[in-house]
Amino acid sequence: MTGAGTQSAPVGQLEGWVRTPFTGAGTTHDCYEKGSGPGVVLIPEIPGITPEVLGLAEHLVAAGFTVVVPSPFGDPGRAISGSYMMGTVLRLCVASEFRAFATNAHRPITDYLRAVASDLAARTPGKGVGVIGQCFTGGFALAAAIDDSVAASVLSQPATPIPLGRARQLDPGVSPEEFDRIAARASAGEVCALGLRFSEDSSVPRARFDTIKKRLGDAFEIIQLDSSPGNPDGYAKSAHSVLTGEVRQDPANSASAARDRVVAFLKERIG
């Protein structure tokens, strides 16, 4: 992983990652894998597997995990730009695979992600696998937890369904049947979840976390980073990507500390 200074987020590159097409639930996407140890599925944020997403992936590999990064959208390794971001958003918002605006909905992409998680769990050590979702894919990590192979879900700034209106703001991002299954597994101690957001991030309403907390109770841990005016870390009100774009390591900021908590959480649950 390329080192990060005070002005930039950690980044990585595709070199050293093994690309393999993986088919699950009738869908095929490339998956990138690296590392050894317990398994973690890292779902990229919009617009795809960017250098910042690879920076997080490399951090997880260095922490002792086998990391698989599926590539269901975007151009792997391509840097973020405004046009790249907008083009990806427009495509995903109308794709039936993702159901960006639907409430109380099952999202077909999560069937594929469960298959990836199950395959990884079958060939790695540990007590199941962890799944991390971010931004548009944040809630997909929770939906993956209906599978017995998933012992830890990390919902980093989960922005789906896009929170237009109160119903979508409250929506947990999973169907009622999925939520019932996840809650039952959480009650039995089979899965725990961790949610992360910035306090002023309107694309990730706090109400969504409150809905999840009400069902999962102590099995759902919430980390909310202060992005209010005058916050100690100097985050802009628009701060969004907790585990990637906002991480600073020298000196370490609260996003870096949140990333450390994610690693510790995964080790507690699967390692």
Side-chain angles (χ1 to χ4, degrees):
M1 180 174 66
T2 302
T6 57
Q7 302 303 314
S8 61
V11 296
Q13 55 188 2
L14 285 174
E15 183 180 354
W17 289 82
V18 177
R19 178 179 63 85
T20 306
F22 179 83
T23 301
T27 302
T28 301
H29 297 291
D30 284 341
C31 288
Y32 292 79
E33 182 169 335
K34 190 175 184 180
S36 60
V40 174
V41 178
L42 174 61
I43 316 167
E45 58 194 336
I46 290 176
I49 304 177
T50 62
E52 289 79 12
V53 169
L54 288 167
L56 173 58
E58 293 281 9
H59 185 78
L60 293 168
V61 169
F65 298 106
T66 300
V67 179
V68 169
V69 190
S71 182
F73 51 81
D75 300 322
R78 181 176 174 181
I80 297 172
S81 69
S83 60
Y84 179 30
M85 180 77 74
M86 183 58 64
T88 305
V89 168
L90 291 175
R91 183 176 73 81
L92 296 184
C93 282
V94 299
S96 60
E97 189 178 13
F98 300 98
R99 306 190 69 186
F101 293 94
T103 58
N104 299 311
H106 167 72
R107 292 175 167 79
I109 185 62
T110 61
D111 295 330
Y112 174 81
L113 296 170
R114 290 180 196 118
V116 173
S118 181
D119 173 76
L120 183 59
R123 54 189 178 80
T124 52
K127 301 168 287 186
V129 298
V131 180
I132 301 174
Q134 306 172 86
C135 181
F136 188 81
T137 70
F140 302 171
L142 182 63
I146 72 168
D147 195 281
D148 289 342
S149 67
V150 178
S153 293
V154 177
L155 294 67
S156 191
Q157 75 271 2
T160 304
I162 295 171
L164 299 177
R166 184 62 175 169
R168 292 187 181 92
Q169 292 171 11
L170 289 165
D171 194 281
V174 296
S175 71
E177 296 77 14
E178 289 168 332
F179 211 7
D180 287 344
R181 169 65 177 156
I182 294 160
R185 292 195 67 220
S187 180
E190 297 172 358
V191 67
C192 287
L194 174 64
L196 306 101
R197 70 181 294 270
F198 282 101
S199 63
E200 309 306 303
D201 189 354
S202 61
S203 69
V204 186
R206 174 60 194 240
R208 180 164 296 158
F209 279 2
D210 293 340
T211 296
I212 298 169
K213 184 70 173 178
K214 186 175 180 179
R215 287 296 304 275
L216 302 191
D218 290 342
F220 184 50
E221 177 184 345
I222 297 173
I223 296 177
Q224 180 168 279
L225 281 65
D226 181 11
S227 57
S228 63
N231 67 84
D233 285 304
Y235 298 119
K237 184 179 180 180
S238 59
H240 176 68
S241 296
V242 177
L243 299 178
T244 56
E246 299 296 340
V247 171
R248 302 292 182 269
Q249 297 176 305
D250 185 20
N253 62 1
S254 58
S256 179
R259 188 184 62 173
D260 290 344
R261 174 57 193 142
V262 167
V263 170
F265 171 73
L266 292 170
K267 288 186 174 182
E268 291 165 7
R269 293 299 307 169
I270 68 174

